[in-house]
């Protein structure tokens, strides 16, 4: 009976050992899996570190670009202000040119009137010159007649 109980205990111990051996193998397998997962996690951790480093570099570049964009916006704002100022100046120049064009038209009208007047004066002058020449011819004839008459009168006086 003791032998049977001892045999039973031995059988149970063997079964326990077999279960423990099976569990040991499972633990070893799980340990290997955990080690593999730890390696993967370590690789992932390293990969995340590299990504973080790249992200920091990208943030730095983005900050630089942001600063450049701010400078460009400032320059664009300055250019817009200058364009607005130039637009005002152009409007003033347009008004000045319009006023100048009006005055030029008035002066052109006056010049045309002056030209007409000069043309009339030239015509009148030519008429006056022609009349004067005719008068000079008449005066010359009259003076010749006058001299001739005086000579005739002088001859008549002498003949008397």
């Amino acid at each position: 009976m003791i032998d049977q109980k001892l045999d039973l205990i031995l059988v149970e111990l063997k079964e326990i050992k077999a279960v423990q051996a099976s569990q040991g193998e499972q633990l070893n397998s799980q340990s290997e899996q955990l080690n593999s997962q730890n390696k993967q996690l370590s690789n992932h951790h390293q990969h995340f570190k590299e990504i973080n480093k790249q992200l920091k570099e990208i943030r730095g570049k983005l900050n630089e670009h942001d600063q450049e964009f701010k400078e460009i916006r400032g320059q664009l704002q300055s250019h817009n202000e200058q364009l607005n100022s130039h637009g005002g100046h152009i409007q003033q120049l347009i008004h000045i040119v319009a006023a100048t064009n009006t005055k030029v038209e008035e002066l052109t009208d006056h010049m045309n009137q002056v030209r007409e007047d000069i043309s009339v004066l030239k015509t009148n002058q030519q008429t006056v010159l022609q009349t004067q020449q005719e008068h000079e011819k008449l005066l010359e004839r009259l003076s010749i007649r006058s001299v001739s008459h005086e000579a005739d009168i002088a001859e008549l006086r002498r003949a008397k």
Side-chain angles (χ1 to χ4, degrees):
M1 184 138 171
I2 290 181
D3 281 338
Q4 281 181 344
K5 284 189 181 184
L6 280 175
D7 283 340
L8 272 174
I9 291 175
L10 279 174
V11 169
E12 282 182 25
L13 281 174
K14 283 182 186 178
E15 287 175 6
I16 290 173
K17 278 185 179 181
V19 169
Q20 282 180 346
S22 171
Q23 287 178 347
E25 287 175 12
Q26 286 178 352
L27 282 175
N28 284 338
S29 173
Q30 288 176 351
S31 177
E32 287 174 6
Q33 286 177 352
L34 285 175
N35 285 338
S36 173
Q37 288 175 350
N38 276 340
K39 285 180 184 177
Q40 287 177 349
L41 284 174
S42 179
N43 287 340
H44 289 307
H45 183 69
Q46 186 64 29
H47 188 67
F48 285 135
K49 280 184 179 179
E50 289 173 10
I51 289 173
N52 270 341
K53 183 179 177 183
Q54 290 173 350
L55 284 174
K56 284 181 183 178
E57 290 174 3
I58 290 171
R59 279 188 194 123
K61 288 180 182 178
L62 284 175
N63 287 338
E64 289 174 12
H65 291 302
D66 190 43
Q67 185 63 31
E68 288 176 9
F69 285 138
K70 285 179 183 177
E71 290 174 8
I72 291 170
R73 277 189 207 121
Q75 290 173 352
L76 285 174
Q77 183 66 28
S78 173
H79 289 301
N80 281 338
E81 290 170 2
Q82 287 177 350
L83 285 174
N84 289 337
S85 173
H86 291 315
H89 291 265
I90 288 171
Q91 289 299 324
Q92 290 174 350
L93 289 173
I94 288 171
H95 291 302
I96 291 170
V97 167
T100 303
N101 286 342
T102 302
K103 288 184 181 182
V104 166
E105 287 176 11
E106 290 174 7
L107 288 174
T108 302
D109 291 341
H110 288 304
M111 286 296 295
N112 289 335
Q113 184 64 40
V114 167
R115 283 187 183 131
E116 289 175 16
D117 292 346
I118 288 173
S119 176
V120 168
L121 286 174
K122 280 184 180 178
T123 304
N124 289 344
Q125 182 184 19
Q126 287 174 351
T127 304
V128 167
L129 285 174
Q130 285 175 350
T131 305
Q132 192 175 15
Q133 285 174 352
E134 289 173 7
H135 285 175
E136 283 177 8
K137 285 181 186 176
L138 278 173
L139 282 174
E140 192 175 312
R141 284 183 197 149
L142 287 173
S143 70
I144 290 173
R145 281 186 190 169
S146 174
V147 168
S148 171
H149 284 175
E150 283 184 26
D152 287 344
I153 291 174
E155 249 181 67
L156 285 174
R157 278 189 193 160
R158 273 189 240 148
K160 268 191 187 184

mmCIF file with all atom_site columns, all heavy atoms in Angstrom, residues 45-63:
data_model
loop_
_atom_site.group_PDB
_atom_site.id
_atom_site.type_symbol
_atom_site.label_atom_id
_atom_site.label_alt_id
_atom_site.label_comp_id
_atom_site.label_asym_id
_atom_site.label_entity_id
_atom_site.label_seq_id
_atom_site.pdbx_PDB_ins_code
_atom_site.Cartn_x
_atom_site.Cartn_y
_atom_site.Cartn_z
_atom_site.occupancy
_atom_site.B_iso_or_equiv
_atom_site.pdbx_formal_charge
_atom_site.auth_seq_id
_atom_site.auth_comp_id
_atom_site.auth_asym_id
_atom_site.auth_atom_id
_atom_site.pdbx_PDB_model_num
ATOM 1   N N   . HIS A 1 45 ? 11.948 51.978 -30.948 1.00 0.00 ? 45 HIS A N   1
ATOM 2   C CA  . HIS A 1 45 ? 12.383 53.109 -30.129 1.00 0.00 ? 45 HIS A CA  1
ATOM 3   C C   . HIS A 1 45 ? 13.489 53.889 -30.853 1.00 0.00 ? 45 HIS A C   1
ATOM 4   O O   . HIS A 1 45 ? 13.446 55.131 -30.907 1.00 0.00 ? 45 HIS A O   1
ATOM 5   C CB  . HIS A 1 45 ? 12.870 52.604 -28.759 1.00 0.00 ? 45 HIS A CB  1
ATOM 6   C CG  . HIS A 1 45 ? 13.270 53.698 -27.834 1.00 0.00 ? 45 HIS A CG  1
ATOM 7   N ND1 . HIS A 1 45 ? 12.364 54.574 -27.292 1.00 0.00 ? 45 HIS A ND1 1
ATOM 8   C CD2 . HIS A 1 45 ? 14.496 54.060 -27.354 1.00 0.00 ? 45 HIS A CD2 1
ATOM 9   C CE1 . HIS A 1 45 ? 13.003 55.435 -26.528 1.00 0.00 ? 45 HIS A CE1 1
ATOM 10  N NE2 . HIS A 1 45 ? 14.298 55.137 -26.547 1.00 0.00 ? 45 HIS A NE2 1
ATOM 11  N N   . GLN A 1 46 ? 14.441 53.157 -31.435 1.00 0.00 ? 46 GLN A N   1
ATOM 12  C CA  . GLN A 1 46 ? 15.524 53.796 -32.193 1.00 0.00 ? 46 GLN A CA  1
ATOM 13  C C   . GLN A 1 46 ? 14.958 54.537 -33.404 1.00 0.00 ? 46 GLN A C   1
ATOM 14  O O   . GLN A 1 46 ? 15.361 55.653 -33.703 1.00 0.00 ? 46 GLN A O   1
ATOM 15  C CB  . GLN A 1 46 ? 16.560 52.747 -32.625 1.00 0.00 ? 46 GLN A CB  1
ATOM 16  C CG  . GLN A 1 46 ? 17.783 53.330 -33.279 1.00 0.00 ? 46 GLN A CG  1
ATOM 17  C CD  . GLN A 1 46 ? 18.574 54.208 -32.335 1.00 0.00 ? 46 GLN A CD  1
ATOM 18  O OE1 . GLN A 1 46 ? 18.582 54.011 -31.126 1.00 0.00 ? 46 GLN A OE1 1
ATOM 19  N NE2 . GLN A 1 46 ? 19.226 55.199 -32.888 1.00 0.00 ? 46 GLN A NE2 1
ATOM 20  N N   . HIS A 1 47 ? 14.018 53.878 -34.056 1.00 0.00 ? 47 HIS A N   1
ATOM 21  C CA  . HIS A 1 47 ? 13.390 54.486 -35.234 1.00 0.00 ? 47 HIS A CA  1
ATOM 22  C C   . HIS A 1 47 ? 12.650 55.774 -34.839 1.00 0.00 ? 47 HIS A C   1
ATOM 23  O O   . HIS A 1 47 ? 12.727 56.786 -35.528 1.00 0.00 ? 47 HIS A O   1
ATOM 24  C CB  . HIS A 1 47 ? 12.438 53.469 -35.881 1.00 0.00 ? 47 HIS A CB  1
ATOM 25  C CG  . HIS A 1 47 ? 11.872 53.908 -37.192 1.00 0.00 ? 47 HIS A CG  1
ATOM 26  N ND1 . HIS A 1 47 ? 12.646 54.059 -38.318 1.00 0.00 ? 47 HIS A ND1 1
ATOM 27  C CD2 . HIS A 1 47 ? 10.593 54.235 -37.546 1.00 0.00 ? 47 HIS A CD2 1
ATOM 28  C CE1 . HIS A 1 47 ? 11.882 54.471 -39.312 1.00 0.00 ? 47 HIS A CE1 1
ATOM 29  N NE2 . HIS A 1 47 ? 10.626 54.569 -38.866 1.00 0.00 ? 47 HIS A NE2 1
ATOM 30  N N   . PHE A 1 48 ? 11.930 55.730 -33.693 1.00 0.00 ? 48 PHE A N   1
ATOM 31  C CA  . PHE A 1 48 ? 11.230 56.921 -33.208 1.00 0.00 ? 48 PHE A CA  1
ATOM 32  C C   . PHE A 1 48 ? 12.205 58.037 -32.862 1.00 0.00 ? 48 PHE A C   1
ATOM 33  O O   . PHE A 1 48 ? 11.935 59.212 -33.095 1.00 0.00 ? 48 PHE A O   1
ATOM 34  C CB  . PHE A 1 48 ? 10.343 56.586 -32.001 1.00 0.00 ? 48 PHE A CB  1
ATOM 35  C CG  . PHE A 1 48 ? 9.077  55.858 -32.361 1.00 0.00 ? 48 PHE A CG  1
ATOM 36  C CD1 . PHE A 1 48 ? 8.660  54.765 -31.623 1.00 0.00 ? 48 PHE A CD1 1
ATOM 37  C CD2 . PHE A 1 48 ? 8.299  56.254 -33.442 1.00 0.00 ? 48 PHE A CD2 1
ATOM 38  C CE1 . PHE A 1 48 ? 7.502  54.090 -31.952 1.00 0.00 ? 48 PHE A CE1 1
ATOM 39  C CE2 . PHE A 1 48 ? 7.139  55.592 -33.769 1.00 0.00 ? 48 PHE A CE2 1
ATOM 40  C CZ  . PHE A 1 48 ? 6.727  54.501 -33.029 1.00 0.00 ? 48 PHE A CZ  1
ATOM 41  N N   . LYS A 1 49 ? 13.372 57.667 -32.307 1.00 0.00 ? 49 LYS A N   1
ATOM 42  C CA  . LYS A 1 49 ? 14.391 58.668 -31.999 1.00 0.00 ? 49 LYS A CA  1
ATOM 43  C C   . LYS A 1 49 ? 14.850 59.362 -33.286 1.00 0.00 ? 49 LYS A C   1
ATOM 44  O O   . LYS A 1 49 ? 14.996 60.583 -33.333 1.00 0.00 ? 49 LYS A O   1
ATOM 45  C CB  . LYS A 1 49 ? 15.591 58.037 -31.294 1.00 0.00 ? 49 LYS A CB  1
ATOM 46  C CG  . LYS A 1 49 ? 15.398 57.784 -29.827 1.00 0.00 ? 49 LYS A CG  1
ATOM 47  C CD  . LYS A 1 49 ? 16.687 57.256 -29.212 1.00 0.00 ? 49 LYS A CD  1
ATOM 48  C CE  . LYS A 1 49 ? 16.527 57.010 -27.732 1.00 0.00 ? 49 LYS A CE  1
ATOM 49  N NZ  . LYS A 1 49 ? 17.768 56.485 -27.138 1.00 0.00 ? 49 LYS A NZ  1
ATOM 50  N N   . GLU A 1 50 ? 15.065 58.557 -34.325 1.00 0.00 ? 50 GLU A N   1
ATOM 51  C CA  . GLU A 1 50 ? 15.485 59.119 -35.610 1.00 0.00 ? 50 GLU A CA  1
ATOM 52  C C   . GLU A 1 50 ? 14.394 60.025 -36.188 1.00 0.00 ? 50 GLU A C   1
ATOM 53  O O   . GLU A 1 50 ? 14.668 61.101 -36.702 1.00 0.00 ? 50 GLU A O   1
ATOM 54  C CB  . GLU A 1 50 ? 15.822 57.996 -36.590 1.00 0.00 ? 50 GLU A CB  1
ATOM 55  C CG  . GLU A 1 50 ? 17.088 57.247 -36.252 1.00 0.00 ? 50 GLU A CG  1
ATOM 56  C CD  . GLU A 1 50 ? 17.321 56.038 -37.145 1.00 0.00 ? 50 GLU A CD  1
ATOM 57  O OE1 . GLU A 1 50 ? 16.600 55.883 -38.165 1.00 0.00 ? 50 GLU A OE1 1
ATOM 58  O OE2 . GLU A 1 50 ? 18.229 55.255 -36.822 1.00 0.00 ? 50 GLU A OE2 1
ATOM 59  N N   . ILE A 1 51 ? 13.145 59.561 -36.073 1.00 0.00 ? 51 ILE A N   1
ATOM 60  C CA  . ILE A 1 51 ? 12.016 60.367 -36.569 1.00 0.00 ? 51 ILE A CA  1
ATOM 61  C C   . ILE A 1 51 ? 11.937 61.667 -35.785 1.00 0.00 ? 51 ILE A C   1
ATOM 62  O O   . ILE A 1 51 ? 11.720 62.741 -36.374 1.00 0.00 ? 51 ILE A O   1
ATOM 63  C CB  . ILE A 1 51 ? 10.695 59.564 -36.482 1.00 0.00 ? 51 ILE A CB  1
ATOM 64  C CG1 . ILE A 1 51 ? 10.699 58.447 -37.521 1.00 0.00 ? 51 ILE A CG1 1
ATOM 65  C CG2 . ILE A 1 51 ? 9.485  60.476 -36.680 1.00 0.00 ? 51 ILE A CG2 1
ATOM 66  C CD1 . ILE A 1 51 ? 9.532  57.492 -37.418 1.00 0.00 ? 51 ILE A CD1 1
ATOM 67  N N   . ASN A 1 52 ? 12.104 61.597 -34.445 1.00 0.00 ? 52 ASN A N   1
ATOM 68  C CA  . ASN A 1 52 ? 12.081 62.812 -33.622 1.00 0.00 ? 52 ASN A CA  1
ATOM 69  C C   . ASN A 1 52 ? 13.180 63.777 -34.044 1.00 0.00 ? 52 ASN A C   1
ATOM 70  O O   . ASN A 1 52 ? 12.958 64.987 -34.122 1.00 0.00 ? 52 ASN A O   1
ATOM 71  C CB  . ASN A 1 52 ? 12.230 62.469 -32.133 1.00 0.00 ? 52 ASN A CB  1
ATOM 72  C CG  . ASN A 1 52 ? 10.898 62.239 -31.474 1.00 0.00 ? 52 ASN A CG  1
ATOM 73  O OD1 . ASN A 1 52 ? 9.867  62.653 -31.985 1.00 0.00 ? 52 ASN A OD1 1
ATOM 74  N ND2 . ASN A 1 52 ? 10.921 61.575 -30.325 1.00 0.00 ? 52 ASN A ND2 1
ATOM 75  N N   . LYS A 1 53 ? 14.370 63.216 -34.316 1.00 0.00 ? 53 LYS A N   1
ATOM 76  C CA  . LYS A 1 53 ? 15.493 64.056 -34.754 1.00 0.00 ? 53 LYS A CA  1
ATOM 77  C C   . LYS A 1 53 ? 15.140 64.741 -36.073 1.00 0.00 ? 53 LYS A C   1
ATOM 78  O O   . LYS A 1 53 ? 15.359 65.940 -36.241 1.00 0.00 ? 53 LYS A O   1
ATOM 79  C CB  . LYS A 1 53 ? 16.743 63.196 -34.895 1.00 0.00 ? 53 LYS A CB  1
ATOM 80  C CG  . LYS A 1 53 ? 17.979 63.957 -35.263 1.00 0.00 ? 53 LYS A CG  1
ATOM 81  C CD  . LYS A 1 53 ? 19.177 63.029 -35.361 1.00 0.00 ? 53 LYS A CD  1
ATOM 82  C CE  . LYS A 1 53 ? 20.413 63.783 -35.809 1.00 0.00 ? 53 LYS A CE  1
ATOM 83  N NZ  . LYS A 1 53 ? 21.557 62.890 -35.981 1.00 0.00 ? 53 LYS A NZ  1
ATOM 84  N N   . GLN A 1 54 ? 14.562 63.972 -37.001 1.00 0.00 ? 54 GLN A N   1
ATOM 85  C CA  . GLN A 1 54 ? 14.167 64.543 -38.290 1.00 0.00 ? 54 GLN A CA  1
ATOM 86  C C   . GLN A 1 54 ? 13.080 65.597 -38.116 1.00 0.00 ? 54 GLN A C   1
ATOM 87  O O   . GLN A 1 54 ? 13.093 66.636 -38.768 1.00 0.00 ? 54 GLN A O   1
ATOM 88  C CB  . GLN A 1 54 ? 13.690 63.436 -39.239 1.00 0.00 ? 54 GLN A CB  1
ATOM 89  C CG  . GLN A 1 54 ? 14.799 62.523 -39.722 1.00 0.00 ? 54 GLN A CG  1
ATOM 90  C CD  . GLN A 1 54 ? 14.274 61.339 -40.535 1.00 0.00 ? 54 GLN A CD  1
ATOM 91  O OE1 . GLN A 1 54 ? 13.073 61.097 -40.588 1.00 0.00 ? 54 GLN A OE1 1
ATOM 92  N NE2 . GLN A 1 54 ? 15.196 60.589 -41.138 1.00 0.00 ? 54 GLN A NE2 1
ATOM 93  N N   . LEU A 1 55 ? 12.143 65.311 -37.215 1.00 0.00 ? 55 LEU A N   1
ATOM 94  C CA  . LEU A 1 55 ? 11.076 66.282 -36.954 1.00 0.00 ? 55 LEU A CA  1
ATOM 95  C C   . LEU A 1 55 ? 11.640 67.583 -36.386 1.00 0.00 ? 55 LEU A C   1
ATOM 96  O O   . LEU A 1 55 ? 11.183 68.672 -36.746 1.00 0.00 ? 55 LEU A O   1
ATOM 97  C CB  . LEU A 1 55 ? 10.028 65.694 -35.995 1.00 0.00 ? 55 LEU A CB  1
ATOM 98  C CG  . LEU A 1 55 ? 9.066  64.673 -36.598 1.00 0.00 ? 55 LEU A CG  1
ATOM 99  C CD1 . LEU A 1 55 ? 8.190  64.071 -35.501 1.00 0.00 ? 55 LEU A CD1 1
ATOM 100 C CD2 . LEU A 1 55 ? 8.207  65.314 -37.675 1.00 0.00 ? 55 LEU A CD2 1
ATOM 101 N N   . LYS A 1 56 ? 12.632 67.464 -35.506 1.00 0.00 ? 56 LYS A N   1
ATOM 102 C CA  . LYS A 1 56 ? 13.260 68.676 -34.947 1.00 0.00 ? 56 LYS A CA  1
ATOM 103 C C   . LYS A 1 56 ? 13.932 69.475 -36.059 1.00 0.00 ? 56 LYS A C   1
ATOM 104 O O   . LYS A 1 56 ? 13.833 70.703 -36.095 1.00 0.00 ? 56 LYS A O   1
ATOM 105 C CB  . LYS A 1 56 ? 14.271 68.306 -33.863 1.00 0.00 ? 56 LYS A CB  1
ATOM 106 C CG  . LYS A 1 56 ? 13.632 67.906 -32.561 1.00 0.00 ? 56 LYS A CG  1
ATOM 107 C CD  . LYS A 1 56 ? 14.673 67.560 -31.500 1.00 0.00 ? 56 LYS A CD  1
ATOM 108 C CE  . LYS A 1 56 ? 13.990 67.093 -30.217 1.00 0.00 ? 56 LYS A CE  1
ATOM 109 N NZ  . LYS A 1 56 ? 14.958 66.701 -29.191 1.00 0.00 ? 56 LYS A NZ  1
ATOM 110 N N   . GLU A 1 57 ? 14.611 68.777 -36.970 1.00 0.00 ? 57 GLU A N   1
ATOM 111 C CA  . GLU A 1 57 ? 15.255 69.458 -38.095 1.00 0.00 ? 57 GLU A CA  1
ATOM 112 C C   . GLU A 1 57 ? 14.204 70.137 -38.966 1.00 0.00 ? 57 GLU A C   1
ATOM 113 O O   . GLU A 1 57 ? 14.370 71.284 -39.387 1.00 0.00 ? 57 GLU A O   1
ATOM 114 C CB  . GLU A 1 57 ? 16.065 68.463 -38.925 1.00 0.00 ? 57 GLU A CB  1
ATOM 115 C CG  . GLU A 1 57 ? 17.311 67.945 -38.233 1.00 0.00 ? 57 GLU A CG  1
ATOM 116 C CD  . GLU A 1 57 ? 18.016 66.849 -39.030 1.00 0.00 ? 57 GLU A CD  1
ATOM 117 O OE1 . GLU A 1 57 ? 17.568 66.529 -40.159 1.00 0.00 ? 57 GLU A OE1 1
ATOM 118 O OE2 . GLU A 1 57 ? 19.015 66.318 -38.509 1.00 0.00 ? 57 GLU A OE2 1
ATOM 119 N N   . ILE A 1 58 ? 13.098 69.429 -39.208 1.00 0.00 ? 58 ILE A N   1
ATOM 120 C CA  . ILE A 1 58 ? 12.016 69.987 -40.029 1.00 0.00 ? 58 ILE A CA  1
ATOM 121 C C   . ILE A 1 58 ? 11.411 71.199 -39.343 1.00 0.00 ? 58 ILE A C   1
ATOM 122 O O   . ILE A 1 58 ? 11.141 72.218 -39.991 1.00 0.00 ? 58 ILE A O   1
ATOM 123 C CB  . ILE A 1 58 ? 10.950 68.909 -40.328 1.00 0.00 ? 58 ILE A CB  1
ATOM 124 C CG1 . ILE A 1 58 ? 11.523 67.862 -41.288 1.00 0.00 ? 58 ILE A CG1 1
ATOM 125 C CG2 . ILE A 1 58 ? 9.677  69.525 -40.909 1.00 0.00 ? 58 ILE A CG2 1
ATOM 126 C CD1 . ILE A 1 58 ? 10.640 66.638 -41.480 1.00 0.00 ? 58 ILE A CD1 1
ATOM 127 N N   . ARG A 1 59 ? 11.199 71.110 -38.009 1.00 0.00 ? 59 ARG A N   1
ATOM 128 C CA  . ARG A 1 59 ? 10.664 72.258 -37.264 1.00 0.00 ? 59 ARG A CA  1
ATOM 129 C C   . ARG A 1 59 ? 11.590 73.458 -37.379 1.00 0.00 ? 59 ARG A C   1
ATOM 130 O O   . ARG A 1 59 ? 11.136 74.591 -37.546 1.00 0.00 ? 59 ARG A O   1
ATOM 131 C CB  . ARG A 1 59 ? 10.460 71.889 -35.794 1.00 0.00 ? 59 ARG A CB  1
ATOM 132 C CG  . ARG A 1 59 ? 9.203  71.134 -35.530 1.00 0.00 ? 59 ARG A CG  1
ATOM 133 C CD  . ARG A 1 59 ? 8.939  70.948 -34.039 1.00 0.00 ? 59 ARG A CD  1
ATOM 134 N NE  . ARG A 1 59 ? 7.927  69.961 -33.837 1.00 0.00 ? 59 ARG A NE  1
ATOM 135 C CZ  . ARG A 1 59 ? 8.064  68.857 -33.120 1.00 0.00 ? 59 ARG A CZ  1
ATOM 136 N NH1 . ARG A 1 59 ? 9.203  68.617 -32.495 1.00 0.00 ? 59 ARG A NH1 1
ATOM 137 N NH2 . ARG A 1 59 ? 7.078  68.003 -32.992 1.00 0.00 ? 59 ARG A NH2 1
ATOM 138 N N   . GLY A 1 60 ? 12.897 73.177 -37.271 1.00 0.00 ? 60 GLY A N   1
ATOM 139 C CA  . GLY A 1 60 ? 13.867 74.267 -37.416 1.00 0.00 ? 60 GLY A CA  1
ATOM 140 C C   . GLY A 1 60 ? 13.755 74.932 -38.779 1.00 0.00 ? 60 GLY A C   1
ATOM 141 O O   . GLY A 1 60 ? 13.736 76.159 -38.883 1.00 0.00 ? 60 GLY A O   1
ATOM 142 N N   . LYS A 1 61 ? 13.677 74.096 -39.821 1.00 0.00 ? 61 LYS A N   1
ATOM 143 C CA  . LYS A 1 61 ? 13.549 74.644 -41.173 1.00 0.00 ? 61 LYS A CA  1
ATOM 144 C C   . LYS A 1 61 ? 12.234 75.395 -41.338 1.00 0.00 ? 61 LYS A C   1
ATOM 145 O O   . LYS A 1 61 ? 12.182 76.447 -41.975 1.00 0.00 ? 61 LYS A O   1
ATOM 146 C CB  . LYS A 1 61 ? 13.654 73.520 -42.208 1.00 0.00 ? 61 LYS A CB  1
ATOM 147 C CG  . LYS A 1 61 ? 15.060 72.975 -42.350 1.00 0.00 ? 61 LYS A CG  1
ATOM 148 C CD  . LYS A 1 61 ? 15.131 71.862 -43.371 1.00 0.00 ? 61 LYS A CD  1
ATOM 149 C CE  . LYS A 1 61 ? 16.539 71.296 -43.450 1.00 0.00 ? 61 LYS A CE  1
ATOM 150 N NZ  . LYS A 1 61 ? 16.635 70.182 -44.398 1.00 0.00 ? 61 LYS A NZ  1
ATOM 151 N N   . LEU A 1 62 ? 11.157 74.834 -40.755 1.00 0.00 ? 62 LEU A N   1
ATOM 152 C CA  . LEU A 1 62 ? 9.859  75.510 -40.834 1.00 0.00 ? 62 LEU A CA  1
ATOM 153 C C   . LEU A 1 62 ? 9.914  76.863 -40.139 1.00 0.00 ? 62 LEU A C   1
ATOM 154 O O   . LEU A 1 62 ? 9.347  77.841 -40.629 1.00 0.00 ? 62 LEU A O   1
ATOM 155 C CB  . LEU A 1 62 ? 8.757  74.639 -40.219 1.00 0.00 ? 62 LEU A CB  1
ATOM 156 C CG  . LEU A 1 62 ? 8.283  73.470 -41.068 1.00 0.00 ? 62 LEU A CG  1
ATOM 157 C CD1 . LEU A 1 62 ? 7.282  72.617 -40.287 1.00 0.00 ? 62 LEU A CD1 1
ATOM 158 C CD2 . LEU A 1 62 ? 7.662  73.946 -42.368 1.00 0.00 ? 62 LEU A CD2 1
ATOM 159 N N   . ASN A 1 63 ? 10.601 76.923 -39.002 1.00 0.00 ? 63 ASN A N   1
ATOM 160 C CA  . ASN A 1 63 ? 10.746 78.197 -38.300 1.00 0.00 ? 63 ASN A CA  1
ATOM 161 C C   . ASN A 1 63 ? 11.516 79.195 -39.155 1.00 0.00 ? 63 ASN A C   1
ATOM 162 O O   . ASN A 1 63 ? 11.168 80.380 -39.209 1.00 0.00 ? 63 ASN A O   1
ATOM 163 C CB  . ASN A 1 63 ? 11.440 77.995 -36.952 1.00 0.00 ? 63 ASN A CB  1
ATOM 164 C CG  . ASN A 1 63 ? 10.529 77.342 -35.937 1.00 0.00 ? 63 ASN A CG  1
ATOM 165 O OD1 . ASN A 1 63 ? 9.307  77.397 -36.049 1.00 0.00 ? 63 ASN A OD1 1
ATOM 166 N ND2 . ASN A 1 63 ? 11.121 76.708 -34.935 1.00 0.00 ? 63 ASN A ND2 1
#
